[in-house]
Amino acid sequence: MTKIVLVTGATAGFGKAIAERLVGDGYRVIATGRRSDRLDALAKSLGPALLPLVLDMDDTAALRALPASLPEGWQEVDILVNNAGLALGVGKAQDSAVADWRQMIETNIAGLVEITHALLPGMVARDRGHIVSIGSTAGTYPYLGGNVYGGTKAFVAQFMRNLRCDLLGTKVRATNLEPGLCGGSEFSNVRLRDDAKAAAVYQDTHPIQPEDIAETVAWVLGLPAHVNINRIEMMPTCQAAGGLAVARGVKV
């Protein structure tokens, strides 16, 4: 039986690469996102094994209605790849826009838990499935300007740990993938709202690429059914976790 995978945020970057890789590996893929033109282009490229589905991760009603709204033959989703997410701004907390914070929380946390909650009962009832969430090293290591974005990814990490506990005794797996510096996507363009500044983030580096993420997801999914990969932290060789920061000359 060909497994059905739903990939959120599949119009670019990680999601697009994951959808392409998994179709190539023989899966049937439901690719979701907000930009219908990009989804249609992806479907044209990959053929009938890919179902394009316009879906906004901020639309709670649509997320809750998702399982029943899928076409016949596509409703039994075996694998959910929680890829959709974003960062907005790199300012200090005291200088950040609360609207940006709320948008990150709505997409990275609320949207992720809503779609997981919508699809998980079916997986448990069928006693098969896999939830893969794209977290971040930002959920583990703090950095200047990471504030709420890092907080949302820390939530994802702990949510996935607890999810694994709740799924004990079933054949449903749960994995959190935590990449560091990644290029080849729109992540920094969206975060900085400036293409030149986004390009500068990766200047003189060799960051992880979307295809690297897709390769890792494919490996995790392809392992024997009795193996659960709890989490994977991955960075390019040009990156490492920084040391503790010290402010000098501050009088107390």
Side-chain angles (χ1 to χ4, degrees):
M1 182 177 62
T2 303
K3 292 182 179 180
I4 297 174
V5 185
L6 191 147
V7 182
T8 65
T11 58
F14 297 173
K16 180 173 180 289
I18 292 167
E20 291 171 336
R21 172 59 188 264
L22 296 184
V23 167
D25 284 353
Y27 295 88
R28 297 168 67 204
V29 175
I30 304 168
T32 79
R34 293 181 298 177
R35 293 172 286 192
S36 60
D37 56 333
R38 294 197 179 191
L39 292 175
D40 291 341
L42 193 60
K44 184 177 180 180
S45 170
L46 298 178
L50 185 129
L51 175 69
L53 179 66
V54 176
L55 184 68
D56 189 333
M57 295 301 291
D58 295 343
D59 188 341
T60 301
L63 294 174
R64 293 180 179 178
L66 179 63
S69 69
L70 292 171
E72 184 178 354
W74 290 89
Q75 293 184 344
E76 292 191 2
V77 175
D78 299 287
I79 299 159
L80 168 63
V81 180
N82 281 318
N83 167 71
L86 78 166
L88 294 172
V90 290
K92 294 180 180 180
Q94 61 268 32
D95 302 320
S96 298
V98 173
D100 287 348
W101 283 6
R102 293 189 66 87
Q103 181 62 56
M104 287 185 279
I105 292 168
E106 286 298 318
T107 303
N108 300 356
I109 295 179
L112 181 145
V113 299
E114 285 284 357
I115 196 167
T116 300
H117 188 267
L119 295 175
L120 191 58
M123 294 182 187
V124 172
R126 295 185 293 272
D127 201 22
R128 69 174 190 270
H130 201 151
I131 307 290
V132 178
S133 291
I134 306 299
S136 172
T137 55
T140 302
Y141 307 107
Y143 60 87
L144 185 66
N147 43 70
V148 168
Y149 174 68
T152 64
K153 292 303 185 177
F155 173 89
V156 172
Q158 190 62 24
F159 175 65
M160 295 301 291
R161 292 188 190 102
N162 281 288
L163 194 61
R164 180 69 199 105
C165 290
D166 292 345
L167 292 170
L168 186 64
T170 76
K171 296 177 184 177
V172 182
R173 299 185 286 179
T175 301
N176 194 39
L177 177 57
E178 305 167 10
L181 183 68
C182 295
S185 73
E186 301 173 340
F187 178 83
S188 290
N189 304 74
V190 171
R191 184 173 203 173
L192 301 175
R193 301 182 174 96
D194 185 304
D195 290 347
K197 289 182 179 179
V201 172
Y202 308 104
Q203 185 175 352
D204 299 324
T205 72
H206 191 167
I208 290 171
Q209 296 297 307
E211 293 74 20
D212 301 323
I213 301 298
E215 172 74 21
T216 308
V217 171
W219 175 75
V220 167
L221 297 181
L223 290 169
H226 70 283
V227 178
N228 189 92
I229 301 298
N230 296 333
R231 64 182 288 267
I232 296 177
E233 178 183 293
M234 55 192 295
M235 293 181 182
T237 54
C238 64
Q239 184 184 33
L244 297 176
V246 177
R248 303 186 185 278
V250 178
K251 295 182 179 181
V252 178

